[in-house]
Amino acid sequence: MDADPHGIEIFCIYKYGSLTMAYQQQSLAVPTMNWIGLFPSDIELLGLQGVPLRETELKKIEHMIKRPYTEGSIQRELMFLRQLATKAEIESLYDIASDFVTTVYLTQKLKKLRIY
């Protein structure tokens, strides 16, 4: 997923369930899901060229930060995204090298999760 409010929200819906479908959360959520997409903190760490956040996206971040399931690492990434006021697509990793996503980035993410 992308390092933007919409990408993070999509991840949260898959992991925790939809706010509008809370009554079916147990059957719709995938609590074991892990975030291996682009983190907002990766934008600065990797020197990626981002795109400025729109006002509506900044408001979305404010609403998401208040949700109980965003405590911890998700909340930190949302706050970092708000501070940067910049978003980036996972495709921006191709600017580093055409094989960076598969040979370096995802490999490191999966090793951190002890999946690879």
Side-chain angles (χ1 to χ4, degrees):
M1 63 179 219
D2 298 332
D4 68 9
H6 301 287
I8 297 169
E9 184 172 50
I10 291 167
F11 166 73
C12 288
I13 289 169
Y14 279 108
K15 185 168 179 80
Y16 302 107
S18 168
L19 291 176
T20 59
M21 307 269 302
Y23 62 93
Q24 289 184 316
Q25 182 176 355
Q26 296 295 345
S27 63
L28 297 176
V30 184
T32 57
M33 187 173 175
N34 291 301
W35 181 356
I36 60 169
L38 189 62
F39 285 29
S41 56
D42 292 335
I43 296 170
E44 187 173 80
L45 179 71
L46 298 171
L48 301 175
Q49 292 298 315
V51 176
L53 289 169
R54 295 184 305 247
E55 189 61 36
T56 56
E57 293 169 319
L58 290 167
K59 287 179 183 176
K60 180 177 278 298
I61 291 170
E62 292 305 317
H63 291 289
M64 290 175 65
I65 286 173
K66 295 175 185 171
R67 296 178 188 169
Y69 56 76
T70 63
E71 292 177 352
S73 61
I74 295 173
Q75 190 175 65
R76 281 191 301 277
E77 291 295 333
L78 283 166
M79 291 168 64
F80 193 80
L81 187 61
R82 179 182 63 189
Q83 178 187 344
L84 280 178
T86 301
K87 61 185 176 181
E89 296 179 343
I90 197 160
E91 291 85 2
S92 64
L93 295 172
Y94 290 106
D95 293 341
I96 297 171
S98 61
D99 64 344
F100 183 77
V101 172
T102 55
T103 61
V104 178
Y105 190 78
L106 288 177
T107 302
Q108 292 302 314
K109 294 271 184 171
L110 294 173
K111 281 182 182 178
K112 284 182 185 177
L113 295 171
R114 299 175 191 220
I115 295 173
Y116 181 75

